[in-house]
């Protein structure tokens, strides 16, 4: 069965520090992989996605993620966090080329301190 | 381009009342999804449509919930009668046709409180 695990419920980092949010998935084959961000009171915004090719993908707002097949991971990174990055981050997986929906992790809440 | 548009953004209603949430997907998208987000259960898929036809409604919690998509540009999610445990954020999302990518685009959500 497919599943997405985000082991960190809450992370606190200082502004300017680097960030890595973890995501592990269980899937029958290599899926499509996504990271979404949800700011307080807002909907989910797509940060980046991996479909194929280069395993290091760049997204909006200075985020990047690396797909590691051997570890079934798709961790999100940012070299220097800004206060405006405080939000909830969701990793998601979806089937290649098929219909239906995405399976979401439970999210990681990021707090940024001055 | 306009994104996925949901209304109302916020609704407070009394238990037992009917609630109707509305969604306009992105033009050209032929998949439409309704999700529910709560603290306890996270993001759950309730139902999704393809070309206006319901494909999977296994996530609809019970008969009090119903969803329709009368045309490609409009969908509703109805709860009747509403209960306090239905309080949640309901997201509508849409996706382009298969082969164009599996990216799902979300609306800003409808915040429902049932008192």
């Amino acid at each position: 069965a497919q599943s997405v695990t985000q082991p960190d419920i809450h992370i606190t980092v200082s502004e300017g520090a680097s960030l890595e949010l973890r995501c592990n998935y269980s899937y029958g084959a290599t899926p499509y992989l996504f990271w979404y961000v949800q700011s307080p009171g807002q909907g989910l915004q797509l940060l980046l996605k991996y479909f194929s090719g280069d395993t290091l993908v760049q997204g909006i707002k200075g985020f990047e993620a690396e797909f590691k097949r051997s570890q079934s991971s798709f961790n999100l990174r940012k070299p220097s966090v800004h206060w405006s990055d405080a939000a909830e981050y969701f990793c998601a997986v979806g089937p290649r080329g098929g219909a239906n929906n995405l399976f979401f992790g439970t999210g990681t809440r990021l707090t940024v301190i001055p | 381009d306009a994104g996925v548009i949901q209304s109302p953004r916020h609704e407070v209603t009394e238990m037992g009342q009917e609630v109707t949430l509305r969604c306009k997907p992105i033009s050209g998208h032929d998949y439409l999804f309704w999700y529910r987000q709560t603290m306890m259960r996270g993001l759950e898929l309730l139902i999704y449509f393809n070309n206006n036809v319901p494909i999977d409604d296994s996530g609809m919690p019970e008969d009090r919930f119903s969803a329709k998509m009368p045309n490609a540009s409009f969908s509703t999610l109805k709860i009747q009668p509403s209960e306090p445990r239905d309080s949640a954020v309901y997201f509508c999302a849409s996706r382009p046709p298969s082969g164009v990518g599996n990216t799902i685009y979300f609306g800003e959500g409808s915040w429902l409180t049932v008192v």
Side-chain angles (χ1 to χ4, degrees):
Chain A
Q2 50 270 48
S3 66
V4 180
T5 302
Q6 293 181 247
D8 304 306
I9 296 174
H10 187 199
I11 285 182
T12 300
V13 300
S14 298
E15 190 168 15
S18 64
L19 170 71
E20 182 169 27
L21 303 182
R22 296 182 290 167
C23 172
N24 292 93
Y25 66 90
S26 173
Y27 210 79
T30 302
Y32 289 155
L33 297 157
F34 305 81
W35 275 99
Y36 285 84
V37 60
Q38 184 180 26
S39 298
Q42 301 295 316
L44 280 75
Q45 181 184 20
L46 180 70
L47 277 177
L48 50 77
K49 59 190 177 186
Y50 171 76
F51 286 173
S52 64
D54 192 346
T55 56
L56 183 64
V57 294
Q58 303 297 320
I60 62 171
K61 304 184 180 186
F63 285 91
E64 66 178 26
E66 185 172 13
F67 167 58
K68 293 185 177 180
R69 185 191 307 272
S70 62
Q71 299 177 18
S72 296
S73 70
F74 189 57
N75 294 349
L76 182 71
R77 300 194 295 250
K78 186 169 184 178
S80 178
V81 169
H82 187 263
W83 64 266
S84 60
D85 294 324
E88 187 121 18
Y89 292 80
F90 294 91
C91 181
V93 301
R96 288 182 167 275
N100 56 53
N101 79 107
L102 300 180
F103 297 93
F104 284 86
T106 51
T108 297
R109 178 169 296 179
L110 174 65
T111 298
V112 181
I113 56 177
Chain B
D1 281 343
V4 176
I5 299 172
Q6 293 186 245
S7 64
R9 287 296 315 279
H10 299 271
E11 178 151 350
V12 180
T13 191
E14 292 186 346
M15 182 174 63
Q17 296 299 305
E18 176 180 300
V19 174
T20 300
L21 308 178
R22 298 172 178 80
C23 176
K24 176 179 169 56
I26 295 172
S27 177
H29 287 192
D30 62 353
Y31 286 89
L32 183 139
F33 306 84
W34 283 100
Y35 286 86
R36 178 172 67 178
Q37 184 180 39
T38 61
M39 289 292 292
M40 293 298 295
R41 301 173 67 93
L43 269 164
E44 304 174 277
L45 177 68
L46 299 178
I47 185 172
Y48 79 92
F49 296 82
N50 179 222
N51 291 320
N52 313 336
V53 176
I55 303 300
D56 183 355
D57 66 354
S58 59
M60 295 286 264
E62 48 197 275
D63 292 346
R64 297 185 297 107
F65 285 69
S66 63
K68 294 181 180 180
M69 192 166 186
N71 57 63
S73 59
F74 184 66
S75 177
T76 60
L77 178 67
K78 185 177 294 186
I79 308 172
Q80 181 183 20
S82 58
E83 296 181 3
R85 61 193 168 118
D86 301 330
S87 298
V89 185
Y90 291 84
F91 287 105
C92 179
S94 69
R95 206 201 86 181
S98 296
V100 185
N102 272 24
T103 302
I104 293 179
Y105 297 87
F106 284 79
E108 294 198 331
S110 293
W111 265 248
L112 174 64
T113 302
V114 183
V115 297

